[in-house]
């Protein structure tokens, strides 16, 4: 065993000048890369925060718009009742208005439920069927090729 082998095996051996230079070079190369990664992460956090604040504001404004839409709908119902009351008794005008709004509500509800049923659960049935067909055709193809060969 040479003396250099013995020196390398000691746990308290001092790093050589070359090892120190390599470590310094690695640190100089890695440090800007780590700084760039940290800056990108900080930038992404700021951007996500800004987008979340914007989305929150949008949701609040949309909620306010829905509240105003419902108020407008109530006012429209009152307007229709008043117009019908010009030619019909008040009770008939109110009854017709409620019936029309109830029918529209029911139709919207049924159409909405159909859309939900089509979308839930969100399983890509057509894609699964096509994939199964491709797999069955792929498993058939090698056996055809083997029979010819």
């Amino acid at each position: 065993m040479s003396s250099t082998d013995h020196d390398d095996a000691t746990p308290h051996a001092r790093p050589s000048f070359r090892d120190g230079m390599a470590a310094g070079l690695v640190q100089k190369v890695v440090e800007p890369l780590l700084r760039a990664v940290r800056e990108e992460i900080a930038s992404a956090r700021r951007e996500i925060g800004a987008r979340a604040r914007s989305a929150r504001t949008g949701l609040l404004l949309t909620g306010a718009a829905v509240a105003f839409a419902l108020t407008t709908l109530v006012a429209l119902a009152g307007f229709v009742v008043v117009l019908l009351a010009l030619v019909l008794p008040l009770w008939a005008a109110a009854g017709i208005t409620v019936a029309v709004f109830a029918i529209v509500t029911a139709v919207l509800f049924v159409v909405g439920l159909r859309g939900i049923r089509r979308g839930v659960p969100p399983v890509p049935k057509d894609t699964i069927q096509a994939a199964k067909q491709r797999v069955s055709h792929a498993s058939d193809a090698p056996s055809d090729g083997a029979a010819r060969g």
Side-chain angles (χ1 to χ4, degrees):
M1 179 178 243
S2 71
S3 64
T4 57
D5 290 337
H6 184 275
D7 290 342
D8 290 343
T10 60
H12 301 294
R14 297 177 78 189
S16 70
F17 177 74
R18 187 173 42 162
D19 292 340
M21 287 279 292
L25 288 173
V26 168
Q27 184 177 1
K28 285 182 180 180
V29 169
V30 171
E31 187 176 320
L33 184 66
L34 289 175
R35 188 179 316 118
V37 168
R38 287 184 190 117
E39 288 172 2
E40 288 299 319
I41 290 172
S43 175
R45 283 182 179 166
R46 285 190 302 271
E47 182 180 355
I48 290 170
R51 288 178 183 255
R53 283 188 295 279
S54 177
R56 182 182 64 215
T57 302
L59 285 171
L60 288 173
L61 291 175
T62 302
V66 167
F68 276 99
L70 290 173
T71 303
T72 304
L73 192 60
V74 169
L76 175 66
F79 180 70
V80 169
V81 168
V82 169
L83 283 179
L84 288 175
L86 294 175
V87 294
L88 297 171
L90 185 58
W91 63 268
I96 290 170
T97 303
V98 168
V100 168
F101 275 76
I103 290 169
V104 169
T105 301
V107 168
L108 291 173
F109 184 72
V110 168
V111 171
L113 277 181
R114 280 191 195 145
I116 291 170
R117 284 189 185 131
R118 261 183 280 161
V120 176
V123 177
K125 293 178 182 177
D126 296 338
T127 304
I128 291 171
Q129 187 63 31
K132 286 180 181 178
Q133 289 175 352
R134 279 193 297 266
V135 167
S136 69
H137 289 303
S139 63
D140 292 342
S143 62
D144 293 341
R148 288 184 203 155

